[in-house]
Amino acid sequence: MENLALWGEDVYMTGDGEKKVHTVEEILALPEGERAELIDGEMFMMASPTVIHQEVSGWINMEIRQFISKKGGRCKIFYAPFAVFLKNDGRNYVEPDIVVICDRDKLDDKGCHGAPDWVIEIVSPSSKTMDNYKKLGAYIEAGVREYWIVDPIRETVIVYDIENGEIPRFYHFTDSVNSAIFEELVIDFSELKVYLQ
């Protein structure tokens, strides 16, 4: 999802020069139609996704959903907008493009409380820094097991096997990509490339 940082003294600085820390309550109180995320109390407004973003997200979601359904596992897959109270601390709230959650005790009607097992973000030009740096750090700290960054413009996929401490793996939309947490799951991104034509 596209993110636009809220910059300016009126947002981050109080009258005495202190940095303002935003909370989940502020996110939940936003007017209808406005969405934002929090990383360590810093708020980022979210722009509407593009058509290609939606196509890529929907296609990946379908591939994973079919795999989980065939295997009959307990894991659940959700797609944005879906609330993730990342650290359950009131200062970290994200709406990843796709999440897989295997511990159903983390789920309630409001969303996921704690780290999902697998997060996938679809990059847009305005979310590149957020997805590659801020969210990566937040997901590692929170205990996300696997993180994918899919870039439809560059036609690349970066896979972070956080749980096993592996170095990131880089793929193109001509490659098949293995999931770290589901060893039998292989997503052939060349099929996505054909789908997008």
Side-chain angles (χ1 to χ4, degrees):
M1 191 60 58
E2 295 188 36
N3 292 277
L4 307 171
L6 293 176
W7 297 106
E9 291 186 352
D10 59 325
V11 176
Y12 286 115
M13 306 302 280
T14 62
D16 58 3
E18 294 291 317
K19 182 177 176 181
K20 180 172 178 170
V21 176
H22 296 276
T23 65
V24 170
E25 287 75 24
E26 292 174 72
I27 298 289
L28 300 178
L30 288 172
E32 188 173 336
E34 289 187 24
R35 293 170 49 218
E37 296 182 307
L38 287 176
I39 303 291
D40 293 327
E42 188 173 350
M43 187 183 294
F44 300 88
M45 297 305 293
M46 301 175 73
S48 297
T50 62
V51 170
I52 191 169
H53 180 286
Q54 291 294 79
E55 286 186 307
V56 170
S57 179
W59 186 86
I60 295 171
N61 176 63
M62 181 185 67
E63 293 290 309
I64 298 170
R65 187 175 299 281
Q66 287 177 345
F67 174 83
I68 291 173
S69 179
K70 284 179 187 173
K71 292 298 177 183
R74 288 188 39 84
C75 299
K76 294 283 203 178
I77 183 169
F78 300 93
Y79 53 90
F82 181 77
V84 175
F85 303 89
L86 192 58
K87 297 179 185 176
N88 267 332
D89 62 359
R91 295 176 41 230
N92 287 275
Y93 171 92
V94 291
E95 293 184 8
D97 292 309
I98 299 170
V99 294
V100 175
I101 300 151
C102 298
D103 181 355
R104 292 191 182 187
D105 290 339
K106 292 182 178 180
L107 295 170
D108 66 14
D109 285 340
K110 293 182 180 178
C112 175
H113 300 268
D117 293 271
W118 184 7
V119 174
I120 299 173
E121 296 284 8
I122 316 300
V123 172
S124 63
S126 65
S127 73
K128 197 175 291 188
T129 299
M130 183 76 163
D131 293 334
N132 283 287
Y133 299 102
K134 288 190 177 290
K135 283 189 175 180
L136 172 61
Y139 292 152
I140 290 171
E141 286 178 21
V144 170
R145 297 167 61 197
E146 181 170 3
Y147 178 40
W148 288 18
I149 301 174
V150 180
D151 188 333
I153 305 301
R154 293 185 174 178
E155 297 187 347
T156 59
V157 181
I158 304 173
V159 174
Y160 292 90
D161 180 358
I162 299 168
E163 181 176 51
N164 295 309
E166 300 288 332
I167 62 170
R169 299 187 315 265
F170 294 83
Y171 299 92
H172 295 279
F173 279 18
T174 53
D175 299 323
S176 292
V177 181
N178 291 74
S179 166
I181 64 171
F182 298 118
E183 292 179 4
E184 298 174 41
L185 174 58
V186 179
I187 298 179
D188 185 352
F189 275 83
S190 66
E191 293 180 6
L192 171 60
K193 189 167 179 153
V194 170
Y195 173 76
L196 293 174
Q197 292 175 349

